[in-house]
Amino acid sequence: MAQLLKVHGSQNQFFILDQTELKTKLSQAELVALTKQITDPTKGLLDGADGVLVIDHTDHADALGSMQVINTDGSIASMCGNGLRTVSRYLADKYHQDAFKVETMDSDLAVHRETSLAPGVPTFSVEISPVTFNKESLPFKNLGGDTLVDRKVPAFAKDLTFTAIAVPNPHLISFVSEDVLHSDLLGRLGRSLNQPNNYFPDGVNVSFAQILDHNQLFVRTYERGVGFTNACGTGMSATSLAFCLNHPNEADFEETIAVYNPGGMVKTRVHDDDGSYHIDLIGNATFTHQIDLPEADLHVNNLTRAKISDTGEQIDYLNFVNNLKQQEV
Ligand SMILES: N[C@@H](CCC[C@H](N)C(=O)O)C(=O)O
């Protein structure tokens, strides 16, 4: 039998597949086919998900494993912050270690177990880096400069300013009013920049942020390869950096920033090492279900014999979210 886990970070939902536990690893084409099927809200399992996180062996020093991120549409992402927390918990439990690195597409990232955000809510901190702003690394074009930091882009919206940051997956960020946050602009912009367009040839994750207070944000994201998501970890990290850079009187480097999102809340800490930035992303790593199915079925993308068991962890996560709401009232 093979095993998958249904997991989430701030209710950004994924399936975890550990290739090292299989007799025969899935090929890349099989992984993509499985992702498109299992994450589909109607044809998949457990109302689908935003992607699949594939764990494999690594030979990199200090790393316990590697993580590949496959978005629900089958595209590959260089990073996933919420997903990395859940992969970190999986590897921490498997190898009985609380601090180590995980190999991702562009870099080996330091992760560690953190004090729980709430009872029964396993919590991990993950490094978000490398951070770049140049148009080649995002990539972007036709935006009138080599970087885009707190600048108006009338083609995107008349009265808003935008910041583009790669962490290393690409993010476009704007600080907006509550009305704009809940308008249809984010969806329209996200959709148009994630089909063939004149600005972001590889697409881009688009986040709108509302400043709630000093070192406090609410962030909503339209994700590349996914659409609207409950939360985007790299998006909230990139937005925290933009918060420190563009609103220096309202946000502090090296201090904890609370980032609320439709799926809950995470904490970030933005570090400035002489103009080179990295971010700590701290939040839940919840396993909601275990799925057992014959390994042969995974290879042919047949989910009909999957046996699903509930871990019971979601109740504790929802208590954590309900307590956040009570604190806000
Ligand atoms: N939800 C993720 C980001 C997933 C990748 C993204 N859709 C992309 O294509 O860059 C996160 O938590 O960071």
Side-chain angles (χ1 to χ4, degrees):
M1 283 298 240
Q3 196 186 86
L4 294 160
L5 289 174
K6 177 89 188 280
V7 304
H8 73 78
S10 269
Q11 312 212 57
N12 187 188
Q13 313 267 347
F14 305 97
F15 292 94
I16 285 182
L17 172 66
D18 182 354
Q19 290 265 57
T20 70
E21 294 291 321
L22 301 179
K23 286 201 183 76
T24 309
K25 290 182 186 183
L26 268 66
S27 67
Q28 192 60 30
E30 287 172 340
L31 288 172
V32 169
L34 174 70
T35 301
K36 287 181 173 174
Q37 165 92 18
I38 198 169
T39 63
D40 186 299
T42 49
K43 291 181 279 177
L45 294 181
L46 293 162
D47 300 324
D50 299 314
V52 169
L53 306 167
V54 184
I55 293 176
D56 212 334
H57 288 302
T58 179
D59 53 10
H60 293 197
D62 303 327
L64 285 186
S66 66
M67 173 185 81
Q68 180 184 201
V69 184
I70 309 180
N71 289 320
T72 180
D73 71 351
S75 60
I76 307 298
S78 54
M79 235 307 264
C80 174
N82 291 326
L84 180 58
R85 295 201 308 278
T86 63
V87 165
S88 303
R89 175 181 166 194
Y90 177 87
L91 292 171
D93 292 350
K94 182 172 178 179
Y95 295 109
H96 309 289
Q97 291 189 39
D98 282 341
F100 49 89
K101 287 188 175 177
V102 179
E103 178 190 342
T104 64
M105 188 190 278
D106 286 13
S107 56
D108 296 349
L109 298 172
V111 305
H112 65 267
R113 195 186 292 275
E114 269 279 347
T115 310
S116 296
L117 285 172
V121 179
T123 302
F124 277 75
S125 172
V126 300
E127 173 189 353
I128 304 294
S129 94
V131 174
T132 51
F133 296 83
N134 57 307
K135 64 180 180 191
E136 292 78 16
S137 62
L138 272 124
F140 69 72
K141 57 184 185 179
N142 301 325
L143 290 176
D146 290 340
T147 61
L148 177 70
V149 178
D150 205 18
R151 265 202 290 120
K152 282 198 170 177
V153 183
F156 296 169
K158 209 161 41 86
D159 299 320
L160 300 180
T161 62
F162 290 88
T163 298
I165 307 179
V167 293
N169 58 339
H171 294 273
L172 180 70
I173 297 145
S174 188
F175 291 88
V176 301
S177 65
E178 189 170 4
D179 283 354
V180 173
L181 184 80
H182 296 295
S183 72
D184 63 359
L185 181 60
L186 178 58
R188 282 194 281 117
L189 194 55
R191 269 186 289 278
S192 70
L193 295 178
N194 284 292
Q195 45 189 260
N197 69 88
N198 289 330
Y199 305 100
F200 290 92
D202 296 350
V204 66
N205 301 289
V206 186
S207 291
F208 278 6
Q210 183 193 355
I211 299 172
L212 300 176
D213 206 338
H214 197 90
N215 288 338
Q216 259 189 51
L217 289 175
F218 185 91
V219 177
R220 203 169 159 227
T221 303
Y222 185 99
E223 268 195 26
R224 174 178 73 163
V226 179
F228 277 113
T229 175
N230 283 321
C232 174
T234 46
M236 294 185 287
S237 304
T239 304
S240 298
L241 171 57
F243 190 24
C244 292
L245 292 173
N246 302 345
H247 298 274
N249 296 330
E250 291 166 278
D252 302 307
F253 284 102
E254 314 300 334
E255 298 289 328
T256 301
I257 297 174
V259 188
Y260 294 85
N261 55 68
M265 189 270 275
V266 299
K267 296 175 182 175
T268 57
R269 213 169 293 120
V270 184
H271 303 284
D272 176 0
D273 307 315
D274 293 325
S276 158
Y277 304 108
H278 71 277
I279 303 131
D280 302 330
L281 172 68
I282 303 151
N284 74 297
T286 301
F287 295 174
T288 57
H289 299 87
Q290 182 179 314
I291 300 137
D292 293 287
L293 74 176
E295 183 178 320
D297 290 9
L298 272 183
H299 288 275
V300 293
N301 204 8
N302 170 13
L303 304 174
T304 55
R305 291 194 287 174
K307 291 202 169 43
I308 296 173
S309 45
D310 193 323
T311 63
E313 290 188 17
Q314 183 65 354
I315 292 172
D316 288 326
Y317 184 76
L318 293 178
N319 280 338
F320 160 66
V321 173
N322 285 336
N323 284 334
L324 290 177
K325 286 191 182 131
Q326 279 163 20
Q327 283 165 27
E328 282 163 24
V329 172

